Amino acid sequence: MWDYTDKVKDLYTHPKNVGAMEDADVVAEVGSIVCGDALKLYLKIDENDIITKATFETFGCGSAIASSSALTEMVIGKTIEDAEKITNKDIADYLGGLPDEKMHCSVMGNEALDKAISLYKGVELADDEDTEGEVICHCFGVTDPLIRKVVRENNLTTIEDVTNYTKAGGACGSCIPRIEDIIEDELHKIKNEPVVVKEKKPLTNIKRMQLVEETIINVIRPELQKDGGNIELMDIDGKKVYVGLRGSCSNCMVSSVTLKNLVEAKLKEFVEDDIEVFEVK
Amino acid sequence: MKKNVYLDNNATTKVAPEAVEAMLPYLTELYGNPSSIHSFGGEIGFEIDKARNSIREFLGADNDYEIVFTGTGTESDNLAILGTINYYKEKRHIITTRVEHPAVLALCQKLERDGYRVTYLPVNGEGELDMDYLKESLSDDTAIVSVMYANNETGVIFPVEEIGALCKEKKIPFHVDAVQAAGKIPIDVNKINCDLLTVSGHKFHGPKGIGVLYVRRGTRMRPILYGGHQERGRRPGTDNVPGIIALGKAAELAMDHLKQRDEISRLRDKLEAGLLKRFKNSSLNGSKKNRVPNTTNVGFEFIEGEAILLYLDEKGISASSGSACSSGSLEPSHVLRAMGVPFTSAHGSIRFSLSRYTTEEEVDYVLEVIPEVVERLLTISPYWDNEKQVGKEINL
C-alpha cells in the first residue's frame, strides 16, 4: 500500500477541475495509455496572459489524478510567466510529497504544463526544455532533455531516482548506461557552473546548511567516491563544518590534504568564502 | 466500522477461527520444543505427527515423512528447485513457464545468470500452457520441470497430470507450485505424478509463516539450509509448532469445505457475469473453463487499475490489480503480458478472488457500487467520450 498524504487522497477522491474544456485556448497531451499514464491539460488564457481556467483528463493511478488536479489548482490565476516557473517539485510539494516511486506523476504534470505553454506561445520549445529530443528510454519514450531537466531540478544522483521520477530505465533496463552518462554529465555541469549564490548579503543559517549539504552530496561525495572514499556531514556550527571521512579516505595518509584541497575548497567555492572544515575522527 | 468486503483471497486468507483456536495453546503454555527428550517438549512432537498426517491426507500422499514443513511457499519453491539441481549437478537445464510466481521465476532468472539454461514455456491468449513446446523442450540435460498448478492472477489451471506423466516417462524430477490450488480444488500427488509439490498455509485459511514441500519417497535432493535433524535434515530449524498445528487444522477444514466449491464458483460467476454485462469496456482475462472456482480477472479499458482499487477501497472492497502502478513496478503484470493482453486493458485489470467466507450479499454489494467507481474514472479519462459513452480511438 502506498503511503499517500491526506492531500493526495483528498485530490484523487475529489479531484478538482475535471473534464474537457470546449473553449480552451490550448490543449496539451503527454504520456500514453501504453505506458500506463496519460494527461490532457486544457488552459483558458486571457489577453493579459493570465490563466483563467484550467481543466484536465487523466488516465492513471491515484497519484497521477492528484498531481493533475494539483497542477490545475496551482496555475489558475497565474500569468504564463509565473506558471512557467512551476517545477515538478512544486507539484509534489503542493501535495505534501509523493512516494519516491510515484514522483514521475508530478513530472508528467510539469511536462504537460511546459508543453501547453510552449504551444500557446507558438514557439518551438527551447532546446533544454524540449520534450522532443533524442529518445533514451524506448520502453517509456523518455527523452534526453526531459531526463536532464528532472535531474537538474531535483538534484538527482542515482539511476533509481531517475527511474522514480521519469520511469526511464524501469522496464528492460538497456538504457541504464546512457542514463548514468547523463547524470554524470549533469553533475559535471553543476561543478563547472559559475557559483550561483553571489548575492553579497550574508547567508542565513538554514540557507548555508542547505548549500553545504547540497555541495557535499552533488560535488564532493562523487569526487571522493571515484577513489573509493566517502564523506559524511556530522555537524554545522555557524561557518564551521564538521565532517567524517569514510571508506578509503578514513585511513588515507593524505586525508588532511583532501580535507583542505577538496572539501574546504569546494565549500568555499559553492557556499561561502570563509567556511572552515574540520574532520571528526 | 468501515465495511470490509475481502475479495483478495489469492493474496492471503482469513485464518479459520478453528485453526486459531488449535494453535493458541502452543503460543502460550505448551511452548516446549518437540525435539526435547523430556515429556513437556517431546509430547508436542506427537501433535506435530497428527498435523503432518492431516497434510498427507490433504495432498493424497502415501507417507507422512513425505511432508516437509518450511517457512513459506517461497521457501518450498526454492528448496524444491535448488535442492534438486544441487543433487543433479551435471544437468544444466530447467523448464518452467513464463507465468510462474516470482518465487520460481526470480530464482530461475538468477540461475540463468549462473549459467543454467532455462526454458520459459509460453501460454496462449487464454493463459493456457503450450504443451507441444514442453514436449520439445524435455531433454537428458533437464534437471527439473517446475510448473504451477493454478495461476495466481487468472486462476487458470495447468494440465499437471499430463506433464507429470511426461516427466515420469523421461525420469525428470517434476515440481508443482500448488500454492494457488490448495484449498480451492482437490490435490492428489499420485494422480499428478509429481516428485515435489509446494503449498502455503496462509492461502487456505491457515496462518502466515508456514509452508509445505511434499517430497515423494525416493526423490533425490540436497537441503538448502544446514543445521539440526528436523524434517529428516531436509529443512533444519526448530519447528514452527503453532504454525504446524494450525496448518493441520486448516487442511482438515479445507478437505471438508472442498465440497462447497460449486457455491464459491456460483458466486464468482455471478460477480463476473455482472461486471462483463454492465461494462462495455470490460473483458475477461484467462480461460473460462479451466480455472479454480474462486478467481476472476477482469480488464477495464480506458481506466487504470490502481485508481480503481483506491476507489473500491473507499467503498470497503479489497481486490488487486495487475496494473503497473499498483505493483510499484512500471510494467503491467508479467502474466497478462505473457498472455498478450493489450496494454490498454492490462493497465486496468482487476482480480477478484473469493473464499468460503464470501457471501452473496458481498457480491451484490460489489455489483451495486462498482458502476459509480468505473464511471467516475471514465469521466476523468482522456480516452473516453463522455457524450457518446464510448472509448475514443487511440493512436499508439
Side-chain angles (χ1 to χ4, degrees):
Chain A
M1 195 178 159
W2 299 112
D3 188 12
Y4 285 138
T5 62
D6 289 341
K7 183 79 181 166
V8 174
K9 285 181 196 161
D10 181 47
L11 283 184
Y12 71 65
T13 36
H14 309 290
K16 313 277 191 317
N17 309 314
V18 172
M21 195 196 300
E22 292 296 319
D23 57 345
D25 291 309
V26 56
V27 183
E29 203 171 349
V30 293
S32 105
I33 197 166
V34 178
C35 297
D37 42 25
L39 164 59
K40 206 167 175 179
L41 178 69
Y42 301 80
L43 299 181
K44 182 95 191 129
I45 303 165
D46 74 5
E47 64 283 358
N48 300 320
D49 276 359
I50 291 173
I51 300 171
T52 54
K53 212 174 144 195
T55 64
F56 76 94
E57 291 177 302
T58 289
F59 170 85
C61 56
S63 52
I65 295 171
S67 297
S68 311
S69 180
L71 171 69
T72 55
E73 288 174 65
M74 288 165 77
V75 298
I76 293 174
K78 279 207 169 64
T79 60
I80 289 292
E81 200 188 337
D82 285 341
E84 238 176 339
K85 291 181 192 146
I86 293 175
T87 66
N88 74 287
K89 204 171 164 299
D90 297 329
I91 300 175
D93 288 347
Y94 184 90
L95 293 167
L98 281 171
D100 285 347
E101 296 87 340
K102 296 286 189 181
M103 283 302 289
H104 61 83
C105 296
S106 68
V107 172
M108 182 169 75
N110 188 234
E111 252 188 292
L113 179 63
D114 285 353
K115 194 169 173 181
I117 292 176
S118 67
L119 283 172
Y120 173 71
K121 287 182 173 172
V123 289
E124 286 296 306
L125 289 165
D127 208 21
D128 63 340
E129 302 204 3
D130 195 358
T131 44
E132 303 295 307
E134 189 195 355
V135 175
I136 300 291
C137 169
H138 288 272
C139 299
F140 294 111
V142 186
T143 61
D144 176 284
L146 180 70
I147 296 175
R148 284 180 191 277
K149 178 173 174 346
V150 172
V151 166
R152 275 200 304 274
E153 287 180 355
N154 299 280
N155 292 325
L156 305 186
T157 53
T158 66
I159 301 284
E160 291 73 24
D161 286 343
V162 172
T163 305
N164 285 336
Y165 279 67
T166 67
K167 293 185 170 192
C172 75
S174 65
C175 62
I176 285 177
R178 293 288 308 274
I179 300 175
E180 250 165 4
D181 288 347
I182 293 177
I183 297 174
E184 192 64 25
D185 192 40
E186 286 299 322
L187 284 175
H188 193 70
K189 275 189 199 161
I190 294 174
K191 276 186 255 169
N192 293 340
E193 254 165 25
V195 192
V196 204
V197 207
K198 279 302 145 190
E199 303 147 31
K200 276 300 168 193
K201 68 172 182 187
L203 295 170
T204 63
N205 277 333
I206 295 216
K207 189 71 195 162
R208 186 183 305 116
M209 284 177 201
Q210 277 176 352
L211 283 171
V212 166
E213 207 171 353
E214 272 174 34
T215 310
I216 287 179
I217 291 171
N218 295 330
V219 182
I220 300 170
R221 182 172 291 155
E223 200 64 41
L224 293 176
Q225 280 172 340
K226 282 186 196 158
D227 299 318
N230 208 336
I231 185 167
E232 198 179 328
L233 177 60
M234 312 295 285
D235 203 358
I236 303 172
D237 179 9
K239 293 184 178 177
K240 293 176 182 163
V241 175
Y242 297 88
V243 298
L245 292 174
R246 302 282 179 259
S248 57
C249 299
S250 58
N251 43 18
C252 175
M253 306 273 290
V254 292
S255 66
S256 59
V257 180
T258 307
L259 209 64
K260 282 286 162 207
N261 289 3
L262 177 73
V263 183
E264 195 168 288
K266 289 290 176 193
L267 289 176
K268 282 187 162 148
E269 181 185 345
F270 288 99
V271 187
E272 264 174 321
D273 293 336
D274 43 358
I275 292 265
E276 281 184 285
V277 177
F278 300 91
E279 186 183 359
V280 182
K281 290 276 185 188
Chain B
M1 208 182 98
K2 197 181 165 192
K3 214 175 171 78
N4 182 18
V5 176
Y6 186 76
L7 297 178
D8 199 12
N9 288 280
N10 286 9
T12 196
T13 58
K14 171 191 166 107
V15 187
E18 299 91 328
V20 176
E21 202 187 326
M23 81 193 287
L24 273 179
Y26 299 91
L27 289 165
T28 51
E29 61 269 28
L30 299 177
Y31 55 82
N33 188 331
S35 301
S36 302
I37 296 297
H38 50 72
S39 58
F40 178 68
E43 275 176 11
I44 290 169
F46 302 134
E47 297 307 312
I48 289 193
D49 291 344
K50 285 183 203 160
R52 199 185 298 277
N53 184 54
S54 299
I55 307 289
R56 180 200 60 71
E57 200 186 328
F58 179 53
L59 300 179
D62 297 325
N63 307 293
D64 282 0
Y65 58 74
E66 294 173 321
I67 305 302
V68 175
F69 292 116
T70 68
T72 60
T74 297
E75 187 192 332
S76 296
D77 286 340
N78 275 252
L79 173 58
I81 295 171
L82 286 172
T84 304
I85 62 170
N86 285 344
Y87 185 87
Y88 297 101
K89 283 208 183 297
E90 70 293 352
K91 297 189 192 267
R92 306 291 291 172
H93 178 224
I94 298 165
I95 298 177
T96 184
T97 80
R98 286 178 61 186
V99 297
E100 291 302 304
H101 187 273
V104 169
L105 216 50
L107 173 61
C108 286
Q109 284 158 358
K110 189 248 179 233
L111 292 170
E112 222 175 349
R113 291 194 291 278
D114 291 348
Y116 277 85
R117 199 158 54 81
V118 181
T119 301
Y120 299 96
L121 301 172
V123 294
N124 66 14
E126 299 215 299
E128 292 163 331
L129 206 59
D130 187 335
M131 288 298 286
D132 291 334
Y133 203 109
L134 169 67
K135 284 173 202 158
E136 287 161 24
S137 304
L138 293 168
S139 82
D140 290 343
D141 193 35
T142 308
I144 188 167
V145 174
S146 178
V147 171
M148 64 192 348
Y149 201 146
N151 185 271
N152 46 320
E153 292 188 29
T154 59
V156 171
I157 298 171
F158 284 156
V160 285
E161 291 176 23
E162 207 181 318
I163 301 168
L166 283 170
C167 290
K168 195 181 181 188
E169 188 192 315
K170 305 236 180 210
K171 297 196 170 59
I172 297 171
F174 178 36
H175 167 243
V176 175
D177 175 355
V179 167
Q180 291 293 346
K184 294 169 188 157
I185 51 174
I187 295 178
D188 186 333
V189 290
N190 287 328
K191 264 197 201 155
I192 302 172
N193 262 313
C194 57
D195 304 287
L196 301 147
L197 182 137
T198 296
V199 297
S200 172
H202 74 106
K203 305 283 191 189
F204 59 97
H205 306 291
K208 292 162 187 67
I210 183 78
V212 170
L213 183 65
Y214 160 81
V215 183
R216 183 177 294 280
R217 181 174 173 261
T219 301
R220 311 275 184 207
M221 64 185 298
R222 300 247 185 268
I224 55 174
L225 297 177
Y226 289 83
H229 63 278
Q230 292 91 345
E231 303 301 299
R232 298 158 68 94
R234 284 180 169 142
R235 204 282 191 176
T238 301
D239 311 71
N240 171 2
V241 177
I244 292 170
I245 301 295
L247 187 72
K249 191 72 196 171
E252 287 165 28
L253 295 166
M255 282 184 272
D256 199 32
H257 281 104
L258 275 168
K259 293 172 211 138
Q260 289 178 21
R261 63 186 191 277
D262 284 350
E263 173 59 10
I264 295 177
S265 86
R266 185 185 70 80
L267 292 178
R268 187 267 318 267
D269 292 345
K270 180 178 183 181
L271 175 64
E272 179 176 284
L275 295 173
L276 295 174
K277 196 173 149 229
R278 176 67 181 71
F279 301 108
K280 276 187 281 183
N281 63 323
S282 69
S283 56
L284 179 67
N285 293 319
S287 159
K288 210 174 159 75
K289 47 184 196 295
N290 274 322
R291 55 177 172 161
V292 289
N294 79 318
T295 309
T296 180
N297 188 315
V298 176
F300 294 91
E301 258 190 306
F302 318 119
I303 55 179
E304 199 277 332
E306 189 204 294
I308 304 175
L309 292 186
L310 293 171
Y311 279 26
L312 285 175
D313 187 48
E314 220 185 300
K315 305 275 182 197
I317 299 167
S318 311
S320 91
S321 167
S323 88
C325 287
S326 58
S327 63
S329 77
L330 292 168
E331 290 192 304
S333 120
H334 68 286
V335 175
L336 300 181
R337 276 185 290 142
M339 288 161 59
V341 174
F343 272 44
T344 50
S345 130
H347 283 299
S349 70
I350 301 290
R351 176 189 74 186
F352 296 98
S353 45
L354 288 63
S355 81
R356 62 176 186 249
Y357 296 108
T358 307
T359 64
E360 182 125 27
E361 291 73 51
E362 290 177 326
V363 167
D364 290 340
Y365 172 71
V366 174
L367 288 172
E368 181 196 314
V369 300
I370 204 166
E372 189 205 321
V373 167
V374 172
E375 273 152 24
R376 268 167 74 194
L377 287 166
L378 281 174
T379 315
I380 304 178
S381 172
Y383 302 115
W384 184 252
D385 189 324
N386 284 305
E387 253 168 55
K388 297 189 191 128
Q389 291 291 303
V390 288
K392 290 180 191 166
E393 204 153 299
I394 298 168
N395 298 317
L396 296 178

